[in-house]
Amino acid sequence: MYDVIKTRISEELPGAKIYIKNPLRDGQHFYALVVTDLFEGMGAVERHRKILMTMEDELAGPLHALSLKALTTKEFDAQKGNLTKYLT
């Protein structure tokens, strides 16, 4: 599922840095941190919609939950210390 999530998001947001975790190790619940300057000028809801639209088929089936954090590079650099949920 890691590869599917990463591929789907990468296709929609080329060049994005994508960090994925499966905290429950069940293959159904994931955290994803997506960092790209393509988010510049978008609000949080628009960013999340853009990502979730790529995952519609998976969310209807094997993927139960996808917790998202969607940031620009500048936002990522400013918040890096608070993103351990996604990075460790």
Side-chain angles (χ1 to χ4, degrees), residues 28-58:
Q28 296 180 343
H29 299 82
F30 290 86
Y31 296 148
L33 167 61
V34 182
V35 181
T36 179
D37 288 331
L38 295 171
F39 290 143
E40 197 69 48
M42 290 184 195
V45 172
E46 188 177 359
R47 294 174 185 189
H48 286 212
R49 268 194 201 130
K50 191 163 192 68
I51 295 167
L52 290 173
M53 286 175 53
T54 70
M55 302 301 301
E56 284 180 316
D57 291 339
E58 288 73 21

Side-chain angles (χ1 to χ4, degrees), residues 19 21 31 33-35 69-72 75-88:
Y19 305 88
K21 287 182 63 179
Y31 296 148
L33 167 61
V34 182
V35 181
K69 189 78 166 174
L71 304 171
T72 64
E75 292 166 339
F76 175 76
D77 290 341
Q79 296 180 35
K80 201 178 287 186
N82 298 321
L83 298 171
T84 56
K85 170 180 173 178
Y86 296 93
L87 298 173
T88 59

Side-chain angles (χ1 to χ4, degrees), residues 14-28:
K17 292 181 186 172
I18 304 164
Y19 305 88
I20 301 168
K21 287 182 63 179
N22 180 214
L24 300 179
R25 297 186 177 142
D26 64 356
Q28 296 180 343

Side-chain angles (χ1 to χ4, degrees), residues 1-6 20 27-28 30 55 58 61-63:
M1 187 57 65
Y2 285 97
D3 292 335
V4 172
I5 294 169
K6 191 166 190 162
I20 301 168
Q28 296 180 343
F30 290 86
M55 302 301 301
E58 288 73 21
L63 180 60

